Amino acid sequence: MAKLIIKRVSEWNNRFRSIGVYLNGEKLGVIKNGEIAEYEIEEGKHELSTKIDWCGSETLTLELKEGQSIGVELSSYRFGRWIMPIGLVVSISYFAFGDQIGIHPGYYLAAMALPLVFMVYLLTFGRNKYLRLKRIN
């Protein structure tokens, strides 16, 4: 048997949601925020993917030998740590200070357009890029 070790990065977005882990299309289990999961699997070539609701990751192909351990890091979409907090700061700043410093609503909408378009993309066409799998050893 070989060992697959999946380390889920602790992130504030998706913090309370478990992510399903799939090997060759069959569910191995779920992994919670910041958790490390270990699975004993047969040696050979495997397709690893993850899912959260209707979104997921691209498939990662793994080739395992008898007694081998492979580590994989699981995280959210690229820039996931920055998109939502920046959008929140821009929104709070606009609603708290927009009238006092004379910010035109068009500037606010322009500042929020890029994060909004990115999120819509990830939830529709890019739904299989919402999660990322990266081999770490």
Side-chain angles (χ1 to χ4, degrees), residues 29 57 78 84 106 110 119 136:
S57 67
R78 191 171 184 198
M84 299 294 267
M119 290 303 298
I136 53 177

Side-chain angles (χ1 to χ4, degrees), residues 63-78:
E63 183 86 34
L64 290 110
K65 297 177 184 154
E66 181 67 32
Q68 182 182 12
S69 292
I70 289 184
V72 176
E73 183 180 80
L74 169 61
S75 62
S76 285
Y77 51 91
R78 191 171 184 198

